[in-house]
Amino acid sequence: MDLGIRGKTALVCAASKGLGKGCAMALAKEGVSLVITARGKDALEATAEEIRKLASVKVIAITGDIATTEGRAAALAACPNPDILINNAGGPPPGDFRSWSREDWLKALDANMLTPIELIKATVDGMIARKFGRIVNITSGAVKMPIPELGLSNGARTGLTGFVAGLSRQTVAHNVTINGLLPGPFDTDRLRGNMVFNAKKLGKTPEELAKTRAEANPAKRFGTIEEFGAACAFLCSAHAGFITGQNLLMDGGAFPGTL
Ligand code: NAP
């Protein structure tokens, strides 16, 4: 299926590794030029080069922390008028809410709620004027099924989801959609980091815990960044203009509800 987005431009945040990288690769395969960001220069440059080899599209790598004003300014200077915006950043650390300070909360809100909103604010009116825009927020399955030790994530992502629920109904008449992609367990550095944290608490090795968790999923495995990227690319496609304000859970069927 031709997704109808060849020649478009995407800003993909936090894309040197993991889910952001999966989205960047899938969009590049569809002929979308990219600006990708991350804090670490080496991994980002390596990913940019990998994508250039995968698809003959322009890939610009911008090093910076997307959760800061400077990081966002650098990303937007390289990509002031994206047709596609993929909002992503590292997730907050796990822990017990009794130990979190106001600063911990502000950091989580900055990265996982206010940064996506700032980037939407900077780009959505241009999309509306050009009559095409696709915004995908990478959030978490925790939006539907909160994860006890990830309270900072549960709170910040639900805030973003609530904001987008309203805005996405105002932009869709202009062919600008905003949706959330909710990852369940995907095999990335982030997942492996959480395994280390939880394995320690349970007195298991991270490998033992990963095996148990994968077997407990209805799919009997974790998801891949390629699967995540493919779903993202479809939401960004020309065919997806009637899908907005949705929160697509990708978790191998782990969420036990019907809706
Ligand atoms: P990952 O494998 O750790 O990759 C994170 C990527 O984001 C890296 O490229 C990292 O590069 C970049 N990054 C992190 N913080 C950044 C920042 N402030 N500014 C710019 N770039 C930044 O993580 P992932 O598994 O892909 O997770 C992506 C998001 O999905 C996270 O918010 C995570 O909490 C959420 N999520 C993941 C899963 C899962 O199973 N993997 C499940 C639920 C939710 P640098 O470190 O060099 O900046």
Side-chain angles (χ1 to χ4, degrees):
M1 185 187 210
D2 179 352
L3 296 189
I5 47 177
R6 191 163 296 282
K8 302 279 189 204
T9 299
L11 170 55
V12 187
C13 304
S16 65
K17 296 178 190 168
L19 303 177
K21 178 179 176 181
C23 295
M25 291 195 308
L27 289 169
K29 280 188 197 160
E30 294 300 321
V32 174
S33 297
L34 301 174
V35 171
I36 59 172
T37 85
R39 293 163 302 180
K41 191 174 170 56
D42 292 351
L44 183 66
E45 292 291 352
T47 294
E49 198 45 38
E50 190 183 333
I51 298 173
R52 287 182 198 111
K53 283 184 186 145
L54 183 83
S56 48
V57 293
K58 194 171 164 190
V59 184
I60 299 172
I62 300 293
T63 308
D65 184 341
I66 202 69
T68 64
T69 307
E70 304 73 42
R72 287 189 293 278
L76 289 167
C79 193
N81 298 305
D83 304 299
I84 294 167
L85 168 65
I86 311 299
N87 277 314
N88 186 31
D96 184 323
F97 89 98
R98 291 169 189 81
S99 65
W100 294 330
S101 64
R102 177 174 170 76
E103 279 61 44
D104 294 325
W105 274 106
L106 291 179
K107 212 168 156 195
L109 292 173
D110 258 341
N112 299 114
M113 179 183 172
L114 300 177
T115 288
I117 293 173
E118 288 283 341
L119 290 172
I120 292 170
K121 184 175 155 191
T123 57
V124 76
D125 288 335
M127 293 177 181
I128 288 171
R130 295 189 301 278
K131 294 277 173 216
F132 181 91
R134 299 286 183 261
I135 301 174
V136 173
N137 298 316
I138 299 179
T139 61
S140 171
V143 167
K144 279 189 85 119
M145 192 160 60
I147 301 167
E149 69 274 15
L150 290 176
L152 291 168
S153 171
N154 299 338
R157 297 185 196 280
T158 307
L160 174 65
T161 305
F163 167 74
V164 164
L167 182 64
S168 57
R169 270 88 186 177
Q170 298 167 47
T171 61
V172 65
H174 307 282
N175 192 22
V176 177
T177 67
I178 316 178
N179 291 289
L181 255 188
L182 282 53
F186 278 81
D187 189 11
T188 67
D189 286 0
R190 162 83 177 172
L191 183 86
R192 286 185 281 273
N194 286 342
M195 287 296 162
V196 171
F197 175 85
N198 286 315
K200 213 170 165 183
K201 279 200 312 191
L202 297 168
K204 294 185 173 193
T205 66
E207 294 71 29
E208 280 167 351
L209 184 61
K211 193 166 179 280
T212 313
R213 291 274 164 93
E215 276 166 6
N217 187 285
K220 305 290 173 208
R221 64 179 179 86
F222 298 137
T224 70
I225 65 167
E226 288 77 14
E227 290 171 316
F228 194 84
C232 177
F234 180 76
L235 285 178
C236 296
S237 75
H239 313 295
F242 207 55
I243 304 175
T244 201
Q246 301 305 302
N247 291 289
L248 176 63
L249 181 61
M250 294 184 71
D251 69 350
F255 181 70
T258 45
L259 294 173

